[in-house]
Amino acid sequence: MNRETSLPPQFNVGQRVLVDDRKSVGHCRTPAFVRGRVGVIAEVLGAFRNPEKLAYHRPGLPAQVLYAVRFRQHELWPAYEGTKTDELDIDIYANWLTPAAAI
Amino acid sequence: MPTPGKHNEIREGTGGRTVHDIGGLDFGAIDMSEHDLALWEKRVDAMIVLLNARKKVFRTDAMRRVIESYGEQQYDATDYYEKWVRALRNLVLEQELVTREELEEKLVEAVETFKSEGREVASETVPWDDIGNREEASR
């Protein structure tokens, strides 16, 4: 991580994570359609100032680690007509993620 | 400085989604066609680059927060650069770059200039109290 003030990464590539199903309070970057869903860490993107604080003119520190989390399209959309292997990567900050049980 | 409060506008009938968070809802097909930007849109873009990236008056996240605090009706009725210009208006006040009086004065001046040049002027103005910054509106 390139920022001295950042938290260390908590998740590794390939790890299963659960997106928190909480309601947003103020600005946040986690779309509703992935909340409560399980995905896999596809990439550790680095640490960035927390947008939930920057939105209110706060410094946004400590920086939050941002992950690309990979979801199966057919698990997100009940009526999905593509193949079973279609995937979607969503960038999600660490404060929305907890470890999910391995399959 | 008016401290912006945390506030979420909820879209009706979505189980508590905020107004902008519409991924997966049925809004019909997305219009993918390109269009040329109007001069005012380019100017809004330039102001955003100056105030955000260059002058650090606010971050993109703050603009998003203001836009997300529009009511559902206003959110759906405005297009991309309308949302941005209204957020700009809020944020220059919030960050005390200009006062509301100064801004209103300039707007009156602009309307007069437009009218004297025979240019089109919108019959309605966007009300101050529905553009997100409740603290500002209630003062």
Side-chain angles (χ1 to χ4, degrees):
Chain A
M1 297 297 105
N2 47 11
R3 277 184 197 281
E4 67 282 6
T5 46
S6 72
L7 303 166
Q10 297 145 268
F11 305 109
N12 303 312
V13 172
Q15 195 175 344
R16 280 162 53 82
V17 287
L18 171 69
V19 184
D20 198 0
D21 197 16
R22 67 178 182 263
K23 300 275 182 230
S24 45
V25 180
H27 174 72
C28 79
R29 303 276 298 150
T30 309
F33 69 84
V34 296
R35 294 185 199 173
R37 305 306 182 103
V38 171
V40 174
I41 301 290
E43 198 180 340
V44 183
L45 297 168
F48 299 90
R49 286 170 183 256
N50 185 351
E52 295 176 21
K53 310 271 187 206
L54 291 174
Y56 300 87
H57 313 302
R58 311 288 300 173
L61 297 173
Q64 289 277 328
V65 178
L66 182 66
Y67 299 91
V69 182
R70 187 160 294 168
F71 300 89
R72 297 273 187 176
Q73 291 276 28
H74 74 91
E75 288 178 8
L76 294 179
W77 316 110
Y80 189 71
E81 290 173 349
T83 72
K84 286 275 183 195
T85 52
D86 283 359
E87 294 168 327
L88 178 69
D89 285 7
I90 304 274
D91 296 351
I92 304 176
Y93 284 90
N95 63 334
W96 281 84
L97 301 173
T98 52
I103 309 176
Chain B
M1 183 183 300
T3 307
K6 286 193 175 177
H7 171 83
N8 290 102
E9 279 291 330
I10 303 302
R11 183 173 289 276
E12 219 181 308
T14 63
R17 285 191 188 213
T18 43
V19 70
H20 68 289
D21 192 1
I22 59 174
L25 301 181
D26 188 8
F27 275 76
I30 297 170
D31 180 4
M32 307 280 274
S33 62
E34 294 283 339
H35 71 282
D36 289 331
L37 293 182
L39 179 60
W40 76 268
E41 292 175 314
K42 291 178 182 173
R43 283 176 170 161
V44 170
D45 210 287
M47 280 192 283
I48 291 166
V49 171
L50 269 176
L51 294 173
N52 175 357
R54 301 264 177 89
K55 300 286 183 188
K56 315 272 188 219
V57 173
F58 50 78
R59 308 282 291 227
T60 303
D61 307 282
M63 295 210 58
R64 291 183 175 134
R65 181 254 305 166
V66 174
I67 289 169
E68 289 162 13
S69 66
Y70 297 157
E72 181 176 333
Q73 211 183 355
Q74 290 293 331
Y75 189 90
D76 293 349
T78 48
D79 67 22
Y80 187 87
Y81 278 105
E82 282 172 334
K83 289 183 173 69
W84 285 103
V85 74
R86 289 165 60 180
L88 267 178
R89 181 174 74 171
N90 257 46
L91 286 164
V92 294
L93 297 182
E94 198 170 279
Q95 295 295 68
E96 298 182 330
L97 220 59
V98 294
T99 66
R100 180 164 164 173
E101 290 69 33
E102 287 169 332
L103 195 54
E104 281 179 337
E105 214 171 282
K106 278 286 172 195
L107 285 171
V108 170
E109 219 179 283
V111 166
E112 279 168 8
T113 307
F114 268 55
K115 280 181 177 165
S116 72
E117 292 172 356
R119 294 161 73 184
E120 194 186 340
V121 178
S123 56
E124 289 173 49
T125 56
V126 178
W128 290 91
D129 61 353
D130 74 357
I131 56 173
N133 189 338
R134 277 135 222 283
E135 285 76 9
E136 189 66 36
S138 62
R139 285 203 308 186

